[in-house]
Amino acid sequence: MLRVGDGAAPGPKAVVSIILPVHNAEKWLDECLKSVLQQDFEGAMELSIFDDASKDKSMTIIEKWKVKLEGSGIPVVIGGHASPSPRGVGYSKNQAVAQSSGTYLCFLDSDDVMLPQRVRLQHEAAVQHPKSIIGCQVQRDPPNSTKRYTRWINQLAPDQLLTQVFTSNGPTVIMPTWFCSRTWFLHVGPFDEGGKGVPEDLLFFYEHLRKGGSVFRVDHSLLLYRYHLYATTHSVLETTIWTHRVHFLEEQALPRWASFTIWNAGKQGRRLYRSLTAANQHKVVAFCDVDRNKIKKGFYCYEDAQERPKPQIPILHFRAAQPPFVICVKLDLTGGAFEDNLKSLHLQEGRDFLHFS
């Protein structure tokens, strides 16, 4: 068992605590910890590490870097456990936060690398936005992996950081870039500790929004965000994410509308309809599409409905449909045509439509 608080002698309270959960990260830790040392932030900074039952050489690497970091004036607080099984990312983050002292929290994944100005620029933003999760733009490694997702992360307009929170991409600022005040984290959190398969970042993000939090992105690339097959995110099932998204949609958005249209009469649109509560299914006045074959069918019949006769939802051309819309279309797969259609209808995002793609 590692000792919580295994760091340097007490000194000035940290302005920023870098929160680093670790589990079998020996492949990436040298680069990750070097990037902590290279930060150009001039305030007091500490590194809080929680090791979640690593079985590789992670702790050996951490002890080596502890000497270097503390020699440069960055205290290192180390906690962890050596149980047979890991407790999960949510638990590790909560423990790393609990053992830290900083007024602000800078979250870092052990497989990622911070650019030198990250802490400085995000701290400046957090001071100005005390109830926000602060994110940033990223560089992806390998560079050609997840191109569409990376473009979405980096190019969302400021208002879309709130209007696109229902999409399949998850939080509009990704977890490895999060920076916030300790006060706000404690108001919202902690992270769910359900372990493997639980999207703890998405659940925290939704709770953050429920409690009136906002989202701000520093428009500089401040993190090298790695993509690899061992990433924890791959353990979360798509069906789990879908269930949480539908629940949040029904809780936060659909009560505003007496009726709405689902834009997509195909597989995803029908899946959304089937996933809604009966009360919200009754609010669906139509599906709309551009596919002539789907429109020719005239309606979608929900075969599993308990009511008789079974509901038959009209399928219309999008120009004949009425807003508001829940859009179940991947926007950047249409070569810009879909965005042009939205503009031609003079729809206002957030009021007349929202994305569930």
Side-chain angles (χ1 to χ4, degrees), residues 257-329:
W257 296 341
S259 62
F260 63 95
T261 300
I262 295 177
W263 193 315
N264 185 353
K267 181 178 178 181
Q268 285 295 90
R270 298 194 303 270
R271 182 187 182 191
L272 173 60
Y273 177 86
R274 293 192 300 268
S275 300
L276 297 174
T277 63
N280 282 318
Q281 287 176 352
H282 289 149
K283 289 185 177 183
V284 179
V285 293
F287 291 89
C288 72
D289 215 295
V290 295
D291 188 320
R292 295 180 185 277
N293 291 326
K294 293 174 185 173
I295 296 168
K296 280 181 181 179
K297 293 180 180 178
F299 62 87
Y300 165 68
C301 181
Y302 182 34
E303 294 293 343
D304 293 334
Q306 299 300 311
E307 59 188 285
R308 296 293 183 272
K310 295 178 180 179
Q312 293 186 349
I313 313 302
I315 301 176
L316 310 174
H317 188 274
F318 76 90
R319 291 193 179 279
Q322 293 296 314
F325 299 98
V326 177
I327 296 171
C328 296
V329 177

Side-chain angles (χ1 to χ4, degrees), residues 22-24 50-56 80-87:
V22 172
H23 174 68
N24 291 343
F50 192 85
D51 180 70
D52 190 19
S54 291
K55 300 299 188 288
D56 64 359
H81 68 97
S83 303
S85 302
R87 294 282 300 273

Side-chain angles (χ1 to χ4, degrees), residues 166 206 243-255 257 260 272 276 280 326 354-356:
F166 302 101
Y206 284 167
T243 299
H244 287 303
R245 289 173 58 217
V246 172
H247 177 73
F248 192 66
L249 175 76
E250 293 191 300
E251 173 195 295
Q252 296 291 314
L254 297 189
W257 296 341
F260 63 95
L272 173 60
L276 297 174
N280 282 318
V326 177
L354 58 85
H355 298 276
F356 195 79

Side-chain angles (χ1 to χ4, degrees), residues 18-316:
I18 297 174
I19 304 301
L20 181 61
V22 172
H23 174 68
N24 291 343
E26 65 177 8
K27 183 176 181 179
W28 307 286
L29 267 175
D30 276 316
E31 284 187 85
C32 177
L33 295 172
K34 182 179 180 181
S35 74
V36 175
L37 184 62
Q38 293 177 334
Q39 291 302 296
D40 63 12
F41 180 64
E42 295 183 354
M45 187 171 67
E46 72 175 2
L47 174 62
S48 178
I49 300 173
F50 192 85
D51 180 70
D52 190 19
S54 291
K55 300 299 188 288
D56 64 359
K57 297 178 181 178
S58 291
M59 280 308 305
T60 301
I61 297 169
I62 288 168
E63 292 293 345
K64 176 187 71 175
W65 276 98
K66 177 176 179 286
V67 175
K68 294 181 181 180
L69 288 161
E70 293 189 341
S72 297
I74 303 173
V76 180
V77 185
I78 302 173
H81 68 97
S83 303
S85 302
R87 294 282 300 273
V89 179
Y91 174 79
S92 299
K93 290 173 184 171
N94 288 338
Q95 293 298 310
V97 170
Q99 71 189 20
S100 68
S101 66
T103 305
Y104 292 90
L105 306 174
C106 175
F107 291 90
L108 177 63
D109 284 354
S110 57
D111 53 355
D112 295 330
V113 178
M114 298 190 293
L115 275 68
Q117 65 271 40
R118 181 193 173 184
V119 171
R120 173 173 56 84
L121 292 180
Q122 289 194 298
H123 174 257
E124 291 173 359
V127 170
Q128 297 298 317
H129 303 274
K131 294 183 179 180
S132 289
I133 290 178
I134 311 297
C136 65
Q137 294 176 330
V138 300
Q139 300 172 19
R140 200 59 155 141
D141 181 51
N144 292 325
S145 60
T146 66
K147 283 185 177 180
R148 189 175 67 211
Y149 179 48
T150 305
R151 185 164 58 248
W152 182 82
I153 293 170
N154 290 336
Q155 295 182 3
L156 285 175
D159 61 325
Q160 290 178 321
L161 295 174
L162 288 176
T163 60
Q164 293 207 14
V165 297
F166 302 101
T167 71
S168 59
N169 290 324
T172 49
V173 290
I174 60 169
M175 174 63 213
T177 72
W178 285 9
F179 192 110
C180 66
S181 74
R182 178 183 297 274
T183 299
W184 187 252
F185 175 85
L186 295 175
H187 176 68
V188 175
F191 289 107
D192 188 291
E193 296 186 358
K196 187 176 181 180
V198 173
E200 84 292 332
D201 56 342
L202 182 66
L203 296 178
F204 187 98
F205 188 70
Y206 284 167
E207 188 63 18
H208 162 75
L209 296 173
R210 287 187 186 104
K211 292 189 173 180
S214 193
V215 188
F216 183 86
R217 186 187 64 217
V218 175
D219 284 335
H220 294 275
S221 182
L222 303 179
L223 189 81
L224 181 67
Y225 179 35
R226 282 203 172 94
Y227 175 83
H228 57 85
L229 296 178
Y230 305 103
T232 305
T233 186
H234 297 310
S235 70
V236 182
L237 297 176
E238 186 275 338
T239 52
T240 300
I241 297 291
W242 177 271
T243 299
H244 287 303
R245 289 173 58 217
V246 172
H247 177 73
F248 192 66
L249 175 76
E250 293 191 300
E251 173 195 295
Q252 296 291 314
L254 297 189
R256 305 197 311 253
W257 296 341
S259 62
F260 63 95
T261 300
I262 295 177
W263 193 315
N264 185 353
K267 181 178 178 181
Q268 285 295 90
R270 298 194 303 270
R271 182 187 182 191
L272 173 60
Y273 177 86
R274 293 192 300 268
S275 300
L276 297 174
T277 63
N280 282 318
Q281 287 176 352
H282 289 149
K283 289 185 177 183
V284 179
V285 293
F287 291 89
C288 72
D289 215 295
V290 295
D291 188 320
R292 295 180 185 277
N293 291 326
K294 293 174 185 173
I295 296 168
K296 280 181 181 179
K297 293 180 180 178
F299 62 87
Y300 165 68
C301 181
Y302 182 34
E303 294 293 343
D304 293 334
Q306 299 300 311
E307 59 188 285
R308 296 293 183 272
K310 295 178 180 179
Q312 293 186 349
I313 313 302
I315 301 176
L316 310 174

